[in-house]
Amino acid sequence: YRHFQSFLKIYSQAKFYIVEQNIKNIKYFIEKDYEYRFIKEKLVISNSIEKFNKVSFKVCIVSTPSLPRFEILNKILDLNIELIILEKLLFPSLSFYKKFDNKFLNFPKNIFVNCPKSEYKFYKNIKYIIQNDKPINIECLNITDIGSNSIHWIDLAYFLTGRLIENSDRFRININELYRSKRQGYYDFTGDIKIKTKKFNLVIKSSKNINNLQEEEFLLNNDNLIIKINEQNSSMLIKKDSKDSVEKINVPYQSELSSKYLESFEKGNINLTNLYDSLLIHKKFFVAFEEALLKIKNNNSNFSKDYYLT
């Protein structure tokens, strides 16, 4: 719905094609902010992607949960679409990523993954002030639903250091507790994630108590540069050369970003990670995740292997 709001604001004369099993869901969200009777003329709603196979699209957003996304991606590749944006996590388990081992190199170049921090102005500014010739250390603390949301911080670390993704990059995951996600059929966990590459060392730690959430923090250390960001408080502290400065930052909503993705893509300067690079990151993440699950399984005879992340 936030994607829809963004495009509606900029492309008010466009036609919107929506695949949704329950039209009441669409009316419910739209009627919070608009009069549905004025909006419905812009909408073509169906429960089937195939019904849109003769339409040419500017952009397609795939914002479903992760389990059906592989099938959906294969279907929309047959459509005429300028720009495709997939929500994270791409797919829910390692088996899906292995299906791409021999085929995804030939995928179209117009598919990107919605890890939007690379489109935030203040992170783009940080990218240009860090010393890229020296590894940076990053800590992300108190992350909510770390299984689902850590990919944002992992993607950001690669963005800040030039997206140099190599086979030698090491991902390690420690799971303290598995719990059911808000999305039915999916799980998440508390614990920590450590990633070591030639360009950065990244540590991501979850909230200790899923019912008593603390504010998330981003800490970056690079030679004589220290940066501390609290997105919830819209604040950034920069320490450089023994000088401190505190800045107010603007953390954009998704309803502000989506239309800008299309504008940036058409100008050739979109900052979202393309499907090829994101698949490499996701696959490394799920290899580490399933290794961590195996440790739990070995200590728990009642363990189920169907732990999907979304």
Side-chain angles (χ1 to χ4, degrees):
Y1 176 63
R2 299 306 177 192
H3 292 296
F4 168 74
Q5 276 189 312
S6 183
F7 288 115
L8 180 64
K9 183 177 180 180
I10 304 299
Y11 302 93
S12 59
Q13 302 305 311
K15 202 84 171 179
F16 295 85
Y17 292 77
I18 301 175
V19 180
E20 170 60 58
Q21 302 301 315
N22 187 350
I23 190 173
K24 290 181 180 179
N25 288 344
I26 298 171
K27 291 184 69 174
Y28 170 76
F29 283 110
I30 289 176
E31 286 176 349
K32 289 191 214 176
D33 302 293
Y34 311 97
E35 290 230 23
Y36 183 75
R37 60 194 177 98
F38 295 134
I39 301 294
K40 68 178 182 179
E41 294 180 358
K42 304 177 186 294
L43 306 181
V44 179
I45 304 170
S46 173
N47 61 2
S48 170
I49 295 173
E50 287 81 0
K51 291 183 180 179
F52 299 154
N53 59 7
K54 295 182 179 180
V55 182
S56 294
F57 295 98
K58 273 281 188 185
V59 60
C60 173
I61 305 285
V62 182
S63 58
T64 65
S66 58
L67 187 56
R69 194 169 292 129
F70 181 85
E71 180 182 354
I72 291 169
L73 176 59
N74 279 297
K75 287 182 178 180
I76 64 174
L77 288 176
D78 293 330
L79 303 181
N80 183 12
I81 305 169
E82 285 187 30
L83 171 64
I84 297 172
I85 297 175
L86 308 176
E87 280 292 354
K88 59 78 198 168
L89 292 160
L90 282 171
F91 314 113
S93 63
L94 181 60
S95 60
F96 287 90
Y97 298 93
K98 288 182 175 180
K99 295 178 183 180
F100 285 90
D101 283 350
N102 297 318
K103 62 184 286 190
F104 77 89
L105 288 173
N106 297 318
F107 261 52
K109 306 300 182 184
N110 65 331
I111 307 176
F112 297 83
V113 179
N114 190 33
C115 292
K117 294 185 186 297
S118 58
E119 290 282 352
Y120 294 5
K121 184 178 179 179
F122 56 93
Y123 284 125
K124 287 191 279 188
N125 291 340
I126 290 172
K127 180 180 175 69
Y128 293 107
I129 64 174
I130 62 177
Q131 297 291 326
N132 275 317
D133 58 327
K134 297 182 179 180
I136 64 174
N137 297 303
I138 300 175
E139 281 188 279
C140 303
L141 307 177
N142 306 321
I143 304 305
T144 306
D145 293 338
I146 190 173
S148 174
N149 291 324
S150 61
I151 196 68
H152 287 301
W153 304 104
I154 299 170
D155 181 89
L156 176 62
Y158 277 106
F159 167 72
L160 293 175
T161 55
R163 291 205 173 101
L164 181 64
I165 305 163
E166 298 186 343
N167 289 331
S168 58
D169 296 352
R170 291 185 292 172
F171 285 51
R172 294 180 181 176
I173 293 178
N174 172 56
I175 298 174
N176 291 335
E177 179 187 1
L178 282 163
Y179 59 89
R180 292 187 181 275
S181 168
K182 298 173 186 175
R183 288 186 185 266
Q184 187 175 357
Y186 296 88
Y187 290 79
D188 218 297
F189 65 90
T190 60
D192 58 79
I193 299 167
K194 296 180 180 179
I195 299 174
K196 184 176 180 61
T197 78
K198 292 178 180 178
K199 291 287 188 177
F200 66 84
N201 298 307
L202 173 64
V203 176
I204 307 173
K205 295 183 179 180
S206 69
S207 298
K208 294 180 181 179
N209 187 332
I210 61 174
N211 297 315
N212 185 19
L213 303 181
Q214 298 173 284
E215 292 181 348
E216 296 182 346
E217 288 187 353
F218 170 89
L219 305 171
L220 182 148
N221 188 310
N222 176 226
D223 196 23
N224 63 340
L225 174 69
I226 296 174
I227 298 175
K228 181 178 179 180
I229 293 176
N230 184 318
E231 291 187 11
Q232 289 155 295
N233 286 339
S234 301
S235 66
M236 176 168 63
L237 170 66
I238 299 178
K239 295 183 178 182
K240 187 175 183 181
D241 299 324
S242 302
K243 296 179 181 178
D244 294 5
S245 66
V246 178
E247 299 179 19
K248 199 75 174 173
I249 57 175
N250 175 46
V251 181
Y253 295 109
Q254 189 65 60
S255 58
E256 300 173 276
L257 286 171
S258 303
S259 59
K260 291 182 180 179
Y261 295 162
L262 179 55
E263 293 172 356
S264 297
F265 175 74
E266 290 179 330
K267 293 176 183 177
N269 59 5
I270 189 169
N271 282 303
L272 294 180
T273 305
N274 62 43
L275 178 64
Y276 175 85
D277 286 341
S278 194
L279 275 168
L280 294 176
I281 295 171
H282 276 76
K283 184 175 180 181
K284 282 184 169 294
F285 173 84
F286 273 94
V287 167
F289 175 67
E290 298 203 4
E291 286 176 353
L293 286 179
L294 186 60
K295 292 179 182 178
I296 297 175
K297 181 180 179 180
N298 291 337
N299 296 320
N300 184 352
S301 59
N302 297 319
F303 179 81
S304 169
K305 67 177 181 179
D306 297 324
Y307 282 91
Y308 291 129
L309 299 178
T310 189

